[in-house]
Amino acid sequence: MPHIKTPALAIVLAIHLLFSNSHAQAATSLPANVEKLSTVEGISEYRLPNGLKVLLIPDNSKPTTTVSMIYQVGSKHESVGQTGYAHLLEHMMCKGSKNYPQILQQLLNRGMKSNAFTFQDYTLYYATFESSENELNWVLSMEADLMQNAKVLKSELDTEMTVVRNELERRENNSYDMLFKRVQAVAFDWHGYGHSTIGEKSDIENVNIEQLKQCYHTYYRPDNAVLVVAGKFDVDAALPVISRQFGSIAAPKSALPKIATVEPAQQGERQVFVRKKSNEGCMIVAYHKPSLLHPDYAALKMAGAMLSSGREQQNKAGEIFLSNIAPGFHMAGNVENGLVVFFSNGFITKDTEEGPKEFIKVVENFGKNSLGQKELDLFKNAYVRNFTSTMNNPQALSLALSEFIAAGDWRLLLVEKNRIASLTTTQVEDAAKRYFARENCTTGILLPEEKSTDSHIPPSPSVAEIMKDFSYVDQYAAVAEFNRTISNIEKNTERLKIGNIETALLSKPRRGQSVEVDLVLHWGDENTLFK
């Protein structure tokens, strides 16, 4: 290169460095009430004074932006008589807020794709739209208003109940959903994981609006929420908006409720049968599993994925697949000890005892057979491909992060990736043997019937209905006090002899008009008593 161009090159580099440094300084400038916690793998975490955490995941290679809000409240937080409340709140949020009525219609009018989900540990809301600063600002403002001013009103609840009932009925008509609801109830003795997120029909139909409002005010608060913005957007423009919209929300004065219940060990297999009109039967085998925080979780997840793939199991087990309850590509993880769930319809046409035994044998023998390193590597590679695909999709990443956020830290997603990368065949075998064990198993079997049997217990009549025709005869009415003096007793006693038996009949008032007889027979002597 000729020397004459060197100064020009130096000037260009100097200008580039100047603008780069200027941009870097601007990028690190934060609103006064926003604290940056960390940046890992392109994901930056911030915190506001009121406790709200914010994850920003810029990706300018994408044309869209996804905003998701995760509240750490799910079906496990519900009390007796209030099952389904977390899911009802999800529906109520979609009814709008003080400043944003008819939110669903507004989202549709803006061409946004949105949805909401209620899980055992958390509730998730998200909206995806063509990248636009105005649209992003509108969504952030809307979410902030929902956190404070949602329309949890009786009138709004009444109009939404039809939608909720329809969802409940669809689940009841789905064989797997209905059977899994029964398996959950049998597998857990005490923990909130034992009831479904949709809730019990009677709780939903008799919901107390004041209790529902209390749930909203208890859990929909900044220190119990994480806001995620992912995709194409300007971080420096978004942070001041987030600071302004959410920073003004007051920090709660009361602490969040804590769940003290720890589900005890099952200590023995359990089984539930359901008889229902259906074209085909199905079967569920569920095993208690550790929290996603536990190191065994990654090994158990890989064991379940390998088993449920059908590789080397197809001829023996029919169709077996691993339950995928949470959004994303992976097996659902729970904050506390949950369930690994396998479904099948390949055994129900067989003997009702031998069929399930064969299915359970397939699952429980998996860890007893030596796994090959090549087979494990195949599934590890599949996991990495799915992981990379998720990281490159802002919407999918926002949803995949939610269960790790609910567990306490979004970076647990990366911890799981590292744990799976380092798994050995021995770890996978040991996890399968430990958790896919008979004493840890709950089996559900749906047996198809030609017609549904009516086994419901009819409702009890009201007390008022029972008492409206009540009548009585005063048989047990109070009686006058009896004079217990000897002279009065003698006066009212009639003595007579019946055969050789001497009797004394005392007439006195007695409640219930009953007669009491005390008969003493002096028969025999000391010798006859020995016979």
Side-chain angles (χ1 to χ4, degrees), residues 317-343:
E319 182 187 0
I320 304 176
F321 54 95
L322 191 62
S323 171
N324 189 14
I325 302 172
F329 60 86
H330 54 286
M331 184 183 78
N334 292 107
V335 177
E336 295 160 70
N337 299 344
L339 292 176
V340 178
V341 183
F342 296 94
F343 298 82

Side-chain angles (χ1 to χ4, degrees), residues 110-259:
R110 290 174 176 270
M112 295 184 178
K113 178 184 177 182
S114 65
N115 213 333
F117 305 95
T118 304
F119 299 98
Q120 293 175 321
D121 297 306
Y122 63 95
T123 305
L124 165 71
Y125 305 86
Y126 80 89
T128 299
F129 48 91
E130 291 295 320
S131 178
S132 162
E133 185 174 336
N134 289 335
E135 297 292 61
L136 174 58
N137 293 347
W138 182 87
V139 172
L140 292 174
S141 177
M142 178 266 292
E143 290 290 359
D145 200 51
L146 274 175
M147 186 179 286
Q148 306 170 82
N149 304 309
K151 294 196 295 184
V152 187
L153 305 174
K154 183 67 166 62
S155 57
E156 296 290 346
L157 178 63
D158 291 342
T159 61
E160 193 65 18
M161 283 305 297
T162 301
V163 179
V164 176
R165 285 195 194 95
N166 287 340
E167 185 175 346
L168 175 65
E169 290 173 3
R170 286 198 307 270
R171 293 195 185 187
E172 281 294 308
N173 290 329
N174 182 289
S175 297
Y176 284 112
D177 283 347
M178 193 264 285
L179 183 59
F180 182 59
K181 178 180 178 181
R182 271 64 174 182
V183 169
Q184 279 182 289
V186 172
F188 289 95
D189 290 326
W190 306 105
H191 200 278
Y193 287 165
H195 61 259
S196 68
T197 55
I198 192 69
E200 181 52 47
K201 184 178 181 181
S202 58
D203 289 355
I204 297 169
E205 292 182 339
N206 297 288
V207 60
N208 183 306
I209 190 63
E210 294 304 320
Q211 291 177 345
L212 193 63
K213 285 181 182 179
Q214 184 59 48
C215 288
Y216 168 69
H217 292 302
T218 298
Y219 293 105
Y220 280 66
R221 44 195 272 178
D223 62 337
N224 196 43
V226 176
L227 171 69
V228 182
V229 183
K232 187 176 182 179
F233 67 97
D234 186 341
V235 172
D236 294 334
L239 274 174
V241 178
I242 293 171
S243 170
R244 183 172 63 254
Q245 295 292 349
F246 292 92
S248 61
I249 302 175
K253 296 180 180 179
S254 58
L256 284 160
K258 292 186 177 180
I259 298 176

